PDB file of all heavy atoms in Angstrom:
ATOM      1  N   SER A 318      -4.570 -20.255  28.277  1.00 97.00           N
ATOM      2  CA  SER A 318      -3.153 -19.897  28.245  1.00 97.00           C
ATOM      3  C   SER A 318      -2.921 -18.530  28.875  1.00 97.00           C
ATOM      4  O   SER A 318      -1.962 -18.328  29.631  1.00 97.00           O
ATOM      5  CB  SER A 318      -2.645 -19.901  26.805  1.00 97.00           C
ATOM      6  OG  SER A 318      -1.277 -19.593  26.747  1.00 97.00           O
ATOM      7  N   GLU A 355       7.691 -17.511  31.546  1.00 96.00           N
ATOM      8  CA  GLU A 355       7.378 -18.651  30.673  1.00 96.00           C
ATOM      9  C   GLU A 355       7.486 -19.965  31.432  1.00 96.00           C
ATOM     10  O   GLU A 355       6.681 -20.879  31.227  1.00 96.00           O
ATOM     11  CB  GLU A 355       8.316 -18.639  29.472  1.00 96.00           C
ATOM     12  CG  GLU A 355       7.849 -19.509  28.340  1.00 96.00           C
ATOM     13  CD  GLU A 355       8.514 -19.179  27.007  1.00 96.00           C
ATOM     14  OE1 GLU A 355       9.175 -18.125  26.913  1.00 96.00           O
ATOM     15  OE2 GLU A 355       8.343 -19.969  26.069  1.00 96.00           O
ATOM     16  N   TRP A 358       4.424 -20.103  33.808  1.00 97.00           N
ATOM     17  CA  TRP A 358       3.230 -20.276  32.973  1.00 97.00           C
ATOM     18  C   TRP A 358       3.087 -21.741  32.559  1.00 97.00           C
ATOM     19  O   TRP A 358       2.011 -22.338  32.689  1.00 97.00           O
ATOM     20  CB  TRP A 358       3.351 -19.366  31.754  1.00 97.00           C
ATOM     21  CG  TRP A 358       2.463 -19.708  30.594  1.00 97.00           C
ATOM     22  CD1 TRP A 358       1.144 -19.431  30.462  1.00 97.00           C
ATOM     23  CD2 TRP A 358       2.853 -20.389  29.387  1.00 97.00           C
ATOM     24  NE1 TRP A 358       0.686 -19.888  29.254  1.00 97.00           N
ATOM     25  CE2 TRP A 358       1.714 -20.475  28.569  1.00 97.00           C
ATOM     26  CE3 TRP A 358       4.052 -20.914  28.923  1.00 97.00           C
ATOM     27  CZ2 TRP A 358       1.744 -21.094  27.316  1.00 97.00           C
ATOM     28  CZ3 TRP A 358       4.090 -21.521  27.673  1.00 97.00           C
ATOM     29  CH2 TRP A 358       2.944 -21.599  26.888  1.00 97.00           C
ATOM     30  N   GLY A 359       4.177 -22.340  32.078  1.00 97.00           N
ATOM     31  CA  GLY A 359       4.135 -23.744  31.680  1.00 97.00           C
ATOM     32  C   GLY A 359       3.857 -24.662  32.852  1.00 97.00           C
ATOM     33  O   GLY A 359       3.113 -25.647  32.732  1.00 97.00           O
ATOM     34  N   TRP A 360       4.437 -24.319  34.017  1.00 97.00           N
ATOM     35  CA  TRP A 360       4.217 -25.148  35.207  1.00 97.00           C
ATOM     36  C   TRP A 360       2.767 -25.095  35.664  1.00 97.00           C
ATOM     37  O   TRP A 360       2.181 -26.118  36.046  1.00 97.00           O
ATOM     38  CB  TRP A 360       5.139 -24.676  36.331  1.00 97.00           C
ATOM     39  CG  TRP A 360       4.947 -25.413  37.625  1.00 97.00           C
ATOM     40  CD1 TRP A 360       5.442 -26.632  37.963  1.00 97.00           C
ATOM     41  CD2 TRP A 360       4.167 -24.969  38.745  1.00 97.00           C
ATOM     42  NE1 TRP A 360       5.033 -26.981  39.241  1.00 97.00           N
ATOM     43  CE2 TRP A 360       4.254 -25.986  39.731  1.00 97.00           C
ATOM     44  CE3 TRP A 360       3.421 -23.829  39.007  1.00 97.00           C
ATOM     45  CZ2 TRP A 360       3.602 -25.871  40.973  1.00 97.00           C
ATOM     46  CZ3 TRP A 360       2.772 -23.718  40.231  1.00 97.00           C
ATOM     47  CH2 TRP A 360       2.862 -24.726  41.194  1.00 97.00           C
ATOM     48  N   ILE A 361       2.160 -23.921  35.617  1.00 97.00           N
ATOM     49  CA  ILE A 361       0.760 -23.786  36.034  1.00 97.00           C
ATOM     50  C   ILE A 361      -0.154 -24.586  35.106  1.00 97.00           C
ATOM     51  O   ILE A 361      -1.075 -25.285  35.570  1.00 97.00           O
ATOM     52  CB  ILE A 361       0.351 -22.302  36.073  1.00 97.00           C
ATOM     53  CG1 ILE A 361       1.061 -21.593  37.235  1.00 97.00           C
ATOM     54  CG2 ILE A 361      -1.165 -22.151  36.228  1.00 97.00           C
ATOM     55  CD1 ILE A 361       0.825 -20.099  37.280  1.00 97.00           C
ATOM     56  N   LEU A 362       0.083 -24.501  33.806  1.00 97.00           N
ATOM     57  CA  LEU A 362      -0.718 -25.294  32.874  1.00 97.00           C
ATOM     58  C   LEU A 362      -0.554 -26.787  33.160  1.00 97.00           C
ATOM     59  O   LEU A 362      -1.524 -27.561  33.106  1.00 97.00           O
ATOM     60  CB  LEU A 362      -0.319 -24.983  31.432  1.00 97.00           C
ATOM     61  CG  LEU A 362      -0.748 -23.621  30.878  1.00 97.00           C
ATOM     62  CD1 LEU A 362      -0.149 -23.391  29.505  1.00 97.00           C
ATOM     63  CD2 LEU A 362      -2.280 -23.524  30.811  1.00 97.00           C
ATOM     64  N   GLU A 363       0.654 -27.195  33.478  1.00 96.00           N
ATOM     65  CA  GLU A 363       0.909 -28.599  33.799  1.00 96.00           C
ATOM     66  C   GLU A 363       0.154 -29.018  35.062  1.00 96.00           C
ATOM     67  O   GLU A 363      -0.437 -30.107  35.121  1.00 96.00           O
ATOM     68  CB  GLU A 363       2.403 -28.818  33.980  1.00 96.00           C
ATOM     69  CG  GLU A 363       2.789 -30.260  34.260  1.00 96.00           C
ATOM     70  CD  GLU A 363       4.277 -30.427  34.477  1.00 96.00           C
ATOM     71  OE1 GLU A 363       4.955 -29.412  34.736  1.00 96.00           O
ATOM     72  OE2 GLU A 363       4.763 -31.563  34.390  1.00 96.00           O
ATOM     73  N   ILE A 371      -8.170 -29.061  33.191  1.00 95.00           N
ATOM     74  CA  ILE A 371      -8.309 -28.853  31.758  1.00 95.00           C
ATOM     75  C   ILE A 371      -8.083 -30.186  31.058  1.00 95.00           C
ATOM     76  O   ILE A 371      -7.375 -31.064  31.578  1.00 95.00           O
ATOM     77  CB  ILE A 371      -7.310 -27.808  31.216  1.00 95.00           C
ATOM     78  CG1 ILE A 371      -5.868 -28.152  31.610  1.00 95.00           C
ATOM     79  CG2 ILE A 371      -7.669 -26.420  31.675  1.00 95.00           C
ATOM     80  CD1 ILE A 371      -4.834 -27.213  31.019  1.00 95.00           C
ATOM     81  N   ASP A 373      -6.930 -32.883  27.959  1.00 95.00           N
ATOM     82  CA  ASP A 373      -5.678 -33.079  27.225  1.00 95.00           C
ATOM     83  C   ASP A 373      -5.592 -32.123  26.050  1.00 95.00           C
ATOM     84  O   ASP A 373      -4.541 -31.526  25.791  1.00 95.00           O
ATOM     85  CB  ASP A 373      -5.574 -34.525  26.731  1.00 95.00           C
ATOM     86  CG  ASP A 373      -5.403 -35.516  27.870  1.00 95.00           C
ATOM     87  OD1 ASP A 373      -5.062 -35.065  28.984  1.00 95.00           O
ATOM     88  OD2 ASP A 373      -5.596 -36.716  27.650  1.00 95.00           O
ATOM     89  N   LYS A 374      -6.696 -31.974  25.325  1.00 95.00           N
ATOM     90  CA  LYS A 374      -6.701 -31.090  24.149  1.00 95.00           C
ATOM     91  C   LYS A 374      -6.501 -29.631  24.563  1.00 95.00           C
ATOM     92  O   LYS A 374      -5.736 -28.890  23.935  1.00 95.00           O
ATOM     93  CB  LYS A 374      -7.992 -31.237  23.374  1.00 95.00           C
ATOM     94  CG  LYS A 374      -8.014 -30.417  22.074  1.00 95.00           C
ATOM     95  CD  LYS A 374      -9.298 -30.625  21.312  1.00 95.00           C
ATOM     96  CE  LYS A 374      -9.235 -29.897  19.956  1.00 95.00           C
ATOM     97  NZ  LYS A 374      -8.875 -28.500  20.052  1.00 95.00           N
ATOM     98  N   GLN A 375      -7.187 -29.215  25.617  1.00 95.00           N
ATOM     99  CA  GLN A 375      -7.026 -27.841  26.100  1.00 95.00           C
ATOM    100  C   GLN A 375      -5.586 -27.581  26.526  1.00 95.00           C
ATOM    101  O   GLN A 375      -5.026 -26.502  26.266  1.00 95.00           O
ATOM    102  CB  GLN A 375      -7.975 -27.574  27.271  1.00 95.00           C
ATOM    103  CG  GLN A 375      -9.430 -27.446  26.876  1.00 95.00           C
ATOM    104  CD  GLN A 375     -10.331 -27.298  28.089  1.00 95.00           C
ATOM    105  OE1 GLN A 375     -10.123 -27.954  29.118  1.00 95.00           O
ATOM    106  NE2 GLN A 375     -11.347 -26.441  27.975  1.00 95.00           N
ATOM    107  N   TYR A 376      -4.993 -28.570  27.142  1.00 96.00           N
ATOM    108  CA  TYR A 376      -3.601 -28.408  27.580  1.00 96.00           C
ATOM    109  C   TYR A 376      -2.661 -28.295  26.387  1.00 96.00           C
ATOM    110  O   TYR A 376      -1.784 -27.424  26.361  1.00 96.00           O
ATOM    111  CB  TYR A 376      -3.197 -29.595  28.456  1.00 96.00           C
ATOM    112  CG  TYR A 376      -1.734 -29.587  28.843  1.00 96.00           C
ATOM    113  CD1 TYR A 376      -1.229 -28.630  29.728  1.00 96.00           C
ATOM    114  CD2 TYR A 376      -0.851 -30.527  28.312  1.00 96.00           C
ATOM    115  CE1 TYR A 376       0.111 -28.613  30.079  1.00 96.00           C
ATOM    116  CE2 TYR A 376       0.492 -30.520  28.656  1.00 96.00           C
ATOM    117  CZ  TYR A 376       0.968 -29.557  29.535  1.00 96.00           C
ATOM    118  OH  TYR A 376       2.296 -29.526  29.876  1.00 96.00           O
ATOM    119  N   GLN A 377      -2.839 -29.164  25.410  1.00 96.00           N
ATOM    120  CA  GLN A 377      -1.981 -29.122  24.231  1.00 96.00           C
ATOM    121  C   GLN A 377      -2.137 -27.815  23.464  1.00 96.00           C
ATOM    122  O   GLN A 377      -1.161 -27.247  22.976  1.00 96.00           O
ATOM    123  CB  GLN A 377      -2.286 -30.314  23.313  1.00 96.00           C
ATOM    124  CG  GLN A 377      -1.928 -31.676  23.904  1.00 96.00           C
ATOM    125  CD  GLN A 377      -0.455 -31.788  24.245  1.00 96.00           C
ATOM    126  OE1 GLN A 377       0.396 -31.186  23.582  1.00 96.00           O
ATOM    127  NE2 GLN A 377      -0.136 -32.546  25.291  1.00 96.00           N
ATOM    128  N   ASP A 378      -3.362 -27.314  23.376  1.00 95.00           N
ATOM    129  CA  ASP A 378      -3.602 -26.039  22.680  1.00 95.00           C
ATOM    130  C   ASP A 378      -2.964 -24.878  23.443  1.00 95.00           C
ATOM    131  O   ASP A 378      -2.394 -23.960  22.840  1.00 95.00           O
ATOM    132  CB  ASP A 378      -5.106 -25.791  22.522  1.00 95.00           C
ATOM    133  CG  ASP A 378      -5.741 -26.738  21.523  1.00 95.00           C
ATOM    134  OD1 ASP A 378      -5.002 -27.341  20.723  1.00 95.00           O
ATOM    135  OD2 ASP A 378      -6.990 -26.892  21.551  1.00 95.00           O
ATOM    136  N   ALA A 379      -3.080 -24.920  24.769  1.00 95.00           N
ATOM    137  CA  ALA A 379      -2.579 -23.799  25.587  1.00 95.00           C
ATOM    138  C   ALA A 379      -1.070 -23.743  25.629  1.00 95.00           C
ATOM    139  O   ALA A 379      -0.479 -22.654  25.660  1.00 95.00           O
ATOM    140  CB  ALA A 379      -3.143 -23.908  27.004  1.00 95.00           C
ATOM    141  N   ILE A 380      -0.429 -24.892  25.639  1.00 96.00           N
ATOM    142  CA  ILE A 380       1.016 -24.931  25.831  1.00 96.00           C
ATOM    143  C   ILE A 380       1.784 -24.677  24.538  1.00 96.00           C
ATOM    144  O   ILE A 380       3.010 -24.511  24.553  1.00 96.00           O
ATOM    145  CB  ILE A 380       1.440 -26.301  26.433  1.00 96.00           C
ATOM    146  CG1 ILE A 380       2.777 -26.191  27.177  1.00 96.00           C
ATOM    147  CG2 ILE A 380       1.491 -27.365  25.349  1.00 96.00           C
ATOM    148  CD1 ILE A 380       2.704 -25.422  28.444  1.00 96.00           C
ATOM    149  N   LYS A 381       1.085 -24.599  23.417  1.00 95.00           N
ATOM    150  CA  LYS A 381       1.749 -24.430  22.127  1.00 95.00           C
ATOM    151  C   LYS A 381       2.535 -23.132  22.038  1.00 95.00           C
ATOM    152  O   LYS A 381       3.652 -23.103  21.538  1.00 95.00           O
ATOM    153  CB  LYS A 381       0.710 -24.471  20.994  1.00 95.00           C
ATOM    154  CG  LYS A 381       0.249 -25.861  20.616  1.00 95.00           C
ATOM    155  CD  LYS A 381      -0.766 -25.784  19.472  1.00 95.00           C
ATOM    156  CE  LYS A 381      -1.280 -27.178  19.107  1.00 95.00           C
ATOM    157  NZ  LYS A 381      -2.311 -27.109  18.027  1.00 95.00           N
ATOM    158  N   LYS A 382       1.952 -22.047  22.513  1.00 95.00           N
ATOM    159  CA  LYS A 382       2.563 -20.739  22.328  1.00 95.00           C
ATOM    160  C   LYS A 382       2.391 -19.884  23.570  1.00 95.00           C
ATOM    161  O   LYS A 382       1.300 -19.778  24.123  1.00 95.00           O
ATOM    162  CB  LYS A 382       1.940 -20.031  21.123  1.00 95.00           C
ATOM    163  CG  LYS A 382       2.612 -18.704  20.773  1.00 95.00           C
ATOM    164  CD  LYS A 382       1.972 -18.073  19.540  1.00 95.00           C
ATOM    165  CE  LYS A 382       2.624 -16.748  19.203  1.00 95.00           C
ATOM    166  NZ  LYS A 382       1.997 -16.100  18.028  1.00 95.00           N
ATOM    167  N   TYR A 383       3.488 -19.284  23.982  1.00 97.00           N
ATOM    168  CA  TYR A 383       3.456 -18.367  25.130  1.00 97.00           C
ATOM    169  C   TYR A 383       2.624 -17.137  24.763  1.00 97.00           C
ATOM    170  O   TYR A 383       2.877 -16.485  23.734  1.00 97.00           O
ATOM    171  CB  TYR A 383       4.886 -17.964  25.487  1.00 97.00           C
ATOM    172  CG  TYR A 383       5.008 -16.951  26.595  1.00 97.00           C
ATOM    173  CD1 TYR A 383       4.785 -17.307  27.926  1.00 97.00           C
ATOM    174  CD2 TYR A 383       5.382 -15.638  26.311  1.00 97.00           C
ATOM    175  CE1 TYR A 383       4.930 -16.381  28.938  1.00 97.00           C
ATOM    176  CE2 TYR A 383       5.532 -14.702  27.320  1.00 97.00           C
ATOM    177  CZ  TYR A 383       5.297 -15.079  28.639  1.00 97.00           C
ATOM    178  OH  TYR A 383       5.445 -14.147  29.638  1.00 97.00           O
TER     179      TYR A 383
END
Side-chain angles (χ1 to χ4, degrees):
S318 182
E355 196 162 348
W358 162 79
W360 177 80
I361 290 175
L362 288 173
E363 182 182 17
I371 53 176
D373 292 344
K374 184 178 185 307
Q375 287 175 320
Y376 174 69
Q377 294 301 328
D378 290 342
I380 204 70
K381 281 181 182 178
K382 185 178 179 181
Y383 176 74

